[in-house]
Every structure is written in C-alpha cells, then in structure tokens.
Amino acid sequence: MKITFGALTAPRGGALVLGLFDGAALGGPAARVDEATGGAIARAIGSSRFTGKPGQTELLLAPPGTEARRILLLGLGKPDELDAKAAEAAGGTVVAKLAKCGDETATVALDAAISGAHAAHLGYGALLRSYRFDKYRTREKAEDKPSLASMKIATAAHAAAREAFAPLSRVAEGVFLTRDLVSEPANVIFPKSLAERAGELAELGVKVQVIGPAQMKKFGMGALLGVAQGSAHEPRMVVLRWRGLPDTAEKTPIAFVGKGVTFDTGGISIKPSGGMEDMKWDMGGAGVVIGLMKALAGRQAKVDAVGLVGLVENMPSATAQRPGDVVTTMSGQTVEVINTDAEGRLVLGDVLWYCQEKFKPHTIIDLATLTGAIIISLGHENAGLFSNDDALSERLIAAGAAVGEPVWRMPLDEAYDKQIDSDIADMKNVGGREGGAITAAQFLQRFVKEGVGWAHLDIAGVTWSKKDAPVVPKGGTAFGVRLLDELVRANYEAR
C-alpha cells in the first residue's frame, strides 16, 4: 500500500476518514465536513453508539456535500492517551475496515492537534496491516481481493510526518520480508534457498557470508551438522554484517542469532502428523534476524550489528541422527541427544559459539521457535525472555511494550541447569518434562561466554497467529523485528 502525507484537500471519490477524539466536540476537518454535509456527521454520531473510543468505527455512505464515496468515523480515544502504539492501531483499523470496501483510495483527515510523529505512526500501522501473502492464490475472485491501494494522511504537520515515516517504512520492509519467509512452504524455503534470500541484503550494503557444511565441519560444528544429517538439503550458516558507524568508531557489535530449521519433522523422534504443516515456520527466529538486518540497513541505523542464522532441515532417514547419539559442539562440549526433536538448541549452540569466537560481541540476543513448553507457560500473548543480564532484560521489556510485542522474563537457575546433566556426556539436549522452556534456555546459556550480555527469546507462541490484530493480519507475525529495531534505536545507536 502506498502511504502519502499532505494538506487536507477535498477528496474526489474514495473514502474519507475522520479521526475523532473520545467525547470531544466536532472540530477541525470533522467540523468542516459536518457543515458541508448539512450536519450529517453530527446526526450519525447522535444516532449511533460511536463516541470516539479507541478502535471504534462508524461507516457512512457519503451524504450530499462531499465527493467522497463513503465516510469512516475513526475513534482515537482521549487526546492525552494517543501515543505511537495507539496511532498505529488506529491506522491498522482503517485498513481492516476499508480494505475490501471497493474504494482504491482513502484520505485520513486529522485534527491539527495531532503531531506529525503520531500521524506518521498512523500511516505505519496502516502499512503494517495491509500486508497479505497471496502469491499462491490463483483462483481468488477480484471482488474478494483488497481494493484499497493508497492512503493519504492529511495533517497540518505533513512535512514532519513525512520525515518521521521514512525510517518506519524501512522497518516495515523488514517486517514484510520476515512475514514472507515464514509464510513460504518448505519446498520453497530450505537452507540453500533461504541463504540466497538473505544474500539479497547485499544490495542494501549488508556484508553477506554463506558458510557451507565443509567449513562447518572444519569449525567443529558437530551439533548443527548432526541435526542436518538426515536431510537431502545441506545446511548453511549465513552471517550478515551491518556497519552503520564511521570507520573511526568502535566496532564491537551487537549480535542477533536466529534458529533456522526450515522444516522440522522431529527427526527420528518424529512429531504427530496433525499440525506438522506448521513446522515450515520453525525457521521463524532466522526470519526475524534477516528481516531485522534489512530494517537496520534500510533505515541506515548508526550501529555495528551482526546477524547469524543457522539453517538446517530436520528429517528422518537412514542417515538421520538417532536418540542416544553423542555429538561434539564447536565449543568442545559434548551433548547426548536424547530427543532429536529438541534440535533447535543444538543448532543455536554452535552458532552462538561461532558468533563469539569470530565477532567478540558485547551483547547477543538469540531468537527461536524453541519449545512448545513456552506456549503452555505464556500462551500466544508474550514471548519468553531468558537472560543473564538484568539491564538487557529491562531494555527488551521496554522495547516490547513500546511496539506492542511484549516479552515476559522467565527464570534461570542452577537447579534447572542440573536437569540437563548427562550420565555419559557433558550435557543432554532435554531435561524432564517440567520447565521445558527453562531447561532449553539453560542449555543455550552453556554456550555463552563469561562477560557477554545474553538474552534468549522463545518466540514459539508468537511467530504465527490464527487471528487478526490491529497491525498484524493473521499468519506470519514477524514478532521480533520491530521489538529489536526499537531496542537498537533506543539503546545502541550512536547519537
């Protein structure tokens, strides 16, 4: 969808959206439209339950006095409660209401009291909600497809809004890339093809390195290679480096690591068939890292950042890893593989260690659709946060709250760590059934060097949604791209 900003002019056709505050008298553009239509707006409000609460809408066929085809009244809530997140939700609500109404254009008229920044976020929310993955729909009727193609945000602060929107639109491009990747089927996205998609970021100035199985073997990545050995698709590790600081600046990066299991059958510990098709998005963590790096590069973030993704397919075959096998990780630690369906942590362990050996980051954040246990704990509302750093945890929580991607901190403790001690190796890849998300995080922590700030985000419950949200249509959510972009923007960019 094309989003533009400008001064209010009378729309000729299309939809006219009037943003109204809760309980406030008609003013600004709404008052002028009401006058031009002989009081039609006031009468519509008086005969409905519309008061202007957040998310409220009232759709009218345009009365005489305007050339718009229809008018949408949009509730913005109380003026002092309108923040960036509320503005984004309002923009998403407009798209949800008008997408299939038949109009190709919409004009959103905002009161002069609304800042350019909030107008920009309204446009950002509209853009995020407009996403649609429909490349495989060949028989969809034209009348069932969204008609809305462009939206003009009419605001007195249109110059400021346009400037504020520019970096937001780049973040949206990263979000859309992640949503595309997690939506693709596993016969399209597999380690090699996903590495190729990540390689396209070179066009934005990202330095891309693709590492294949021969190099992984030299590095000693026995855990990652063990997961991959049952598949006909060879594994890949992709390193994405964004250098947004001047050459004279310190180059110690912040690092992001993503689990990229492009399809997870469970291996020999095979999953039940019901719902296995969802395992195409077991590469969600890698998808987020790739989308985040696109967002950072797209908006020219002033930060030195590196993103690493370990890409494998977990399949059962004559060559597949067996329960009871022992693998040696790049760190030198050995792992007894109790359950081949606990494969993501094996991949991440090797990639985390490589990241620290190669780049010496001050902070590492990994993301993974790691455990079903986190869904039992937190449902589909929060990602699980595990960390060795209180300050980093607070920053992640704040960033999540700011963009509407909440995280909830979970415990780490020696008592949980003991559950993954093995009788024959340094550790095993699962503990007991109790606290499964925690013992998975404890496993990862064994691959974090002393002095490195680390956080693990278990995004198994938030990577895919079966229902619409204000700025997230059902399907792949890209949860984590906006969260981590906000984390970087607020805490790690040069000023």
Side-chain angles (χ1 to χ4, degrees):
M1 176 178 290
K2 183 179 180 181
I3 306 292
T4 60
F5 300 86
L8 179 62
T9 55
R12 296 184 175 181
L16 174 62
V17 182
L18 300 175
L20 301 173
F21 287 117
D22 186 5
L26 290 179
R32 294 195 292 274
V33 173
D34 187 56
E35 181 179 1
T37 58
I41 306 304
R43 287 195 300 273
I45 294 173
S47 62
S48 70
R49 295 183 176 181
F50 181 88
T51 63
K53 292 179 180 178
Q56 270 193 325
T57 59
E58 189 71 27
L59 187 61
L60 319 172
L61 289 177
T66 176
E67 293 186 47
R69 292 181 56 184
R70 69 196 78 239
I71 294 176
L72 178 68
L73 307 183
L74 173 68
L76 298 176
K78 299 294 184 183
D80 58 352
E81 295 177 359
L82 182 65
D83 57 12
K85 190 164 62 174
E88 290 167 12
T93 297
V94 172
V95 172
K97 195 71 177 178
L98 296 180
K100 295 184 178 182
C101 70
D103 291 322
E104 295 182 1
T105 63
T107 300
V108 181
L110 298 178
D111 191 275
I114 296 176
S115 70
H118 287 158
H121 278 276
L122 190 148
Y124 181 43
L127 182 59
L128 289 171
R129 181 56 189 266
S130 71
Y131 174 84
R132 195 167 186 258
F133 188 80
D134 59 2
K135 64 183 290 186
Y136 299 115
R137 299 182 183 183
T138 64
R139 301 180 64 185
E140 188 175 25
K141 296 178 181 179
E143 59 266 28
D144 293 330
K145 295 181 179 181
S147 58
L148 193 63
S150 65
M151 180 182 294
K152 175 184 177 181
I153 314 295
T155 169
H158 52 83
R162 194 178 298 114
E163 182 179 359
F165 180 75
L168 295 175
S169 68
R170 299 299 184 222
V171 178
E173 290 174 2
V175 169
F176 289 178
L177 173 58
T178 299
R179 289 178 181 174
D180 282 347
L181 294 177
V182 300
S183 299
E184 289 282 7
N187 61 323
V188 173
I189 290 295
F190 41 88
K192 181 182 178 182
S193 64
L194 184 50
E196 290 170 350
R197 292 290 298 273
E200 295 172 6
L201 298 190
E203 298 174 3
L204 296 175
V206 176
K207 183 178 179 181
V208 181
Q209 181 185 13
V210 179
I211 296 171
Q215 287 176 282
M216 292 179 190
K217 188 173 182 179
K218 289 181 180 179
F219 296 149
M221 292 182 161
L224 186 155
L225 290 169
V227 176
Q229 71 188 43
S231 174
H233 291 293
E234 292 185 337
R236 297 287 188 273
M237 181 171 65
V238 183
V239 181
L240 303 167
R241 189 78 187 265
W242 168 249
R243 293 179 178 269
L245 295 174
D247 292 339
T248 55
E250 182 183 357
K251 290 296 184 181
T252 304
I254 183 171
F256 304 96
V257 172
K259 169 190 171 184
V261 180
T262 58
F263 194 79
D264 181 21
T265 66
I268 297 300
S269 306
I270 196 164
K271 296 176 180 290
S273 60
M276 194 191 289
E277 67 276 7
D278 289 342
M279 290 300 96
K280 68 178 186 178
W281 47 258
D282 204 24
M283 40 60 68
V288 169
V289 170
I290 295 168
L292 172 66
M293 297 305 291
K294 180 170 186 174
L296 296 177
R299 67 176 183 80
Q300 298 288 294
K302 297 177 181 179
V303 68
D304 188 23
V306 60
L308 298 93
V309 293
L311 309 179
V312 302
E313 187 178 58
N314 187 23
M315 297 289 284
S317 73
T319 62
Q321 185 168 250
R322 296 156 292 253
D325 283 2
V326 174
V327 295
T328 301
T329 68
M330 184 180 175
S331 70
Q333 299 175 92
T334 56
V335 181
E336 180 186 12
V337 180
I338 302 297
N339 187 329
T340 64
D341 193 24
E343 83 299 329
R345 64 203 71 179
L346 298 171
V347 174
L348 288 173
D350 275 340
V351 180
L352 284 167
W353 196 261
Y354 176 87
C355 176
Q356 293 165 96
E357 289 282 290
K358 178 72 174 178
F359 297 104
K360 307 295 189 293
H362 57 76
T363 303
I364 298 179
I365 300 167
D366 76 72
L367 303 97
T369 51
L370 204 64
T371 68
I374 201 65
I375 303 175
I376 301 303
S377 298
L378 299 176
H380 298 281
E381 311 307 320
N382 288 259
L385 163 64
F386 302 82
S387 181
N388 65 1
D389 187 318
D390 291 342
L392 176 59
S393 295
E394 290 172 3
R395 291 169 180 170
L396 283 162
I397 291 168
V403 302
E405 294 185 347
V407 299
W408 189 269
R409 192 173 185 185
M410 303 286 286
L412 291 169
D413 189 83
E414 185 178 354
Y416 295 108
D417 196 68
K418 289 179 179 178
Q419 294 182 36
I420 57 171
D421 286 340
S422 167
D423 292 336
I424 66 168
D426 294 325
M427 69 190 91
K428 53 188 178 181
N429 73 328
V430 292
R433 184 176 181 183
E434 301 84 358
I438 302 172
T439 53
Q442 295 284 172
F443 182 96
L444 296 178
Q445 191 175 30
R446 293 194 181 195
F447 296 88
V448 178
K449 295 186 177 184
E450 186 175 352
V452 177
W454 162 75
H456 159 59
L457 297 178
D458 193 332
I459 57 173
V462 293
T463 291
W464 193 269
S465 178
K466 295 182 179 179
K467 60 182 180 180
D468 292 325
V471 300
V472 183
K474 66 180 180 179
T477 65
F479 184 109
V481 175
R482 293 187 294 135
L483 163 65
L484 295 179
D485 177 80
E486 173 64 17
L487 174 79
V488 170
R489 187 202 62 79
N491 300 284
Y492 297 104
E493 282 197 68
R495 303 301 178 190

